[in-house]
């Protein structure tokens, strides 16, 4: 039986923990705003009963994100991989749960040849697929031909919700949910080879 494997014609990246370092302490942030450990932070804030409470909670999150942005550094292998993909004219974008100012600082301090950046200020946060879908439309590329690379469960879920392939970046021990990803990247230097292996539609037996 022959199965058609779709080419990878575009790559979308998560930001924190994927392209740049992040030291955000979500346990501390949740404790400061009263969010239960097991609940998603942004969902909790959205459900707070008053606009004032939502604003105050989000201000705390922003303070942590802006502080983290000042210290973010580009992760090993990222610059080289991005440069190689850029040389091959592979469209690239970033979708992050960061807010716009923090993401802008991180990318200003760690320049990459990626101009399309969507944050939670632009579209609903992952695992909602809206931002990923918007980029597929912008590029006029089928979601099946786009790879999403991230380091967390929400990245896998967002990719699959957008009908894209999910690549989990797991440089250390792979998490329990790693088996939900289509690919696992242990080293960023492996990314170019992965994309190249699907540069043409390949028929597999």
């Amino acid at each position: 039986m022959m199965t058609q494997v779709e080419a990878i014609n575009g790559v979308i990246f998560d930001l924190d923990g994927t392209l740049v370092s992040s030291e955000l302490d979500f346990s501390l942030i949740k404790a400061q705003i009263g969010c239960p450990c097991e609940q998603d932070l942004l969902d909790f804030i959205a459900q707070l009963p008053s606009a004032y409470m939502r604003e105050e909670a989000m201000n705390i999150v922003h303070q942590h994100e802006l502080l983290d942005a000042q210290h973010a550094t580009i992760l090993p292998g990222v610059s080289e991989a991005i440069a190689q993909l850029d040389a091959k004219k592979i469209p690239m974008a970033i979708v992050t749960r960061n807010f716009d100012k923090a993401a802008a600082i991180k990318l200003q301090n760690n320049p990459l040849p990626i101009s399309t950046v969507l944050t939670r200020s632009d579209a609903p946060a992952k695992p909602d697929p809206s931002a990923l879908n918007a980029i597929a439309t912008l590029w006029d590329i089928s979601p099946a031909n786009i790879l999403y690379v991230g380091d967390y469960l929400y990245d896998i879920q967002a990719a699959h919700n957008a009908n894209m392939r999910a690549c989990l970046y797991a440089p250390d021990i792979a998490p329990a949910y790693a088996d939900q990803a289509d690919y696992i990247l242990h080293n960023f230097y492996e990314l170019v080879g992965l994309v190249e292996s699907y540069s043409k539609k390949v028929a597999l037996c």
Side-chain angles (χ1 to χ4, degrees), residues 74-86 112 188-189 192:
I74 204 151
L75 291 173
V78 168
S79 293
E80 296 84 352
I82 297 296
Q84 290 182 54
L85 292 176
D86 187 49
L112 291 168
F188 230 89
Y189 295 102
V192 176

Side-chain angles (χ1 to χ4, degrees), residues 9-75:
N9 296 332
V11 183
I12 306 175
F13 298 94
D14 172 47
L15 183 60
D16 288 0
T18 301
L19 299 180
V20 301
S21 64
S22 176
E23 298 178 357
L24 283 172
D25 186 340
F26 287 103
S27 295
L28 174 60
I29 299 171
K30 287 181 177 183
Q32 289 179 343
I33 67 172
C35 175
C37 294
E38 70 281 359
Q39 189 166 353
D40 178 77
L41 181 63
L42 298 180
D43 285 346
F44 174 80
I45 294 173
Q47 294 166 10
L48 288 172
S50 74
Y52 173 78
M53 294 174 68
R54 292 191 292 272
E55 182 178 357
E56 288 296 298
M58 194 57 75
N59 283 341
I60 292 173
V61 175
H62 286 168
Q63 289 170 18
H64 282 274
E65 288 180 309
L66 289 171
L67 181 61
D68 182 61
Q70 300 291 342
H71 303 289
T73 57
I74 204 151
L75 291 173

Side-chain angles (χ1 to χ4, degrees), residues 2 4-5 9 41 44 60 69 96 110 117 119 142 161 196 199:
M2 304 294 285
Q4 195 71 27
V5 178
N9 296 332
L41 181 63
F44 174 80
I60 292 173
T96 174
N110 302 280
V117 180
T119 72
S142 168
N161 288 341
E196 284 182 335
S199 62

Side-chain angles (χ1 to χ4, degrees), residues 167-174 184-190:
C167 179
L168 178 70
Y169 177 54
D172 302 312
I173 298 173
I184 299 176
L185 198 68
H186 296 291
N187 186 312
F188 230 89
Y189 295 102
E190 301 169 355

Side-chain angles (χ1 to χ4, degrees), residues 8 18 147-152 156 160 165-195 197-198:
I8 295 174
T18 301
L147 181 71
Y148 186 79
V149 183
D151 69 320
Y152 188 58
I156 298 173
H160 289 163
R165 275 171 282 178
C167 179
L168 178 70
Y169 177 54
D172 302 312
I173 298 173
Y177 51 78
D179 60 352
Q180 298 181 41
D182 299 289
Y183 315 103
I184 299 176
L185 198 68
H186 296 291
N187 186 312
F188 230 89
Y189 295 102
E190 301 169 355
L191 177 62
V192 176
L194 173 62
V195 174
S197 69
Y198 292 97

Side-chain angles (χ1 to χ4, degrees), residues 26 29 41 55 66 97 121 125 128 133 150 153 161 164 205:
F26 287 103
I29 299 171
L41 181 63
E55 182 178 357
L66 289 171
R97 279 170 63 98
S121 307
D128 188 293
N133 291 335
L153 175 62
N161 288 341
M164 298 177 184
C205 294

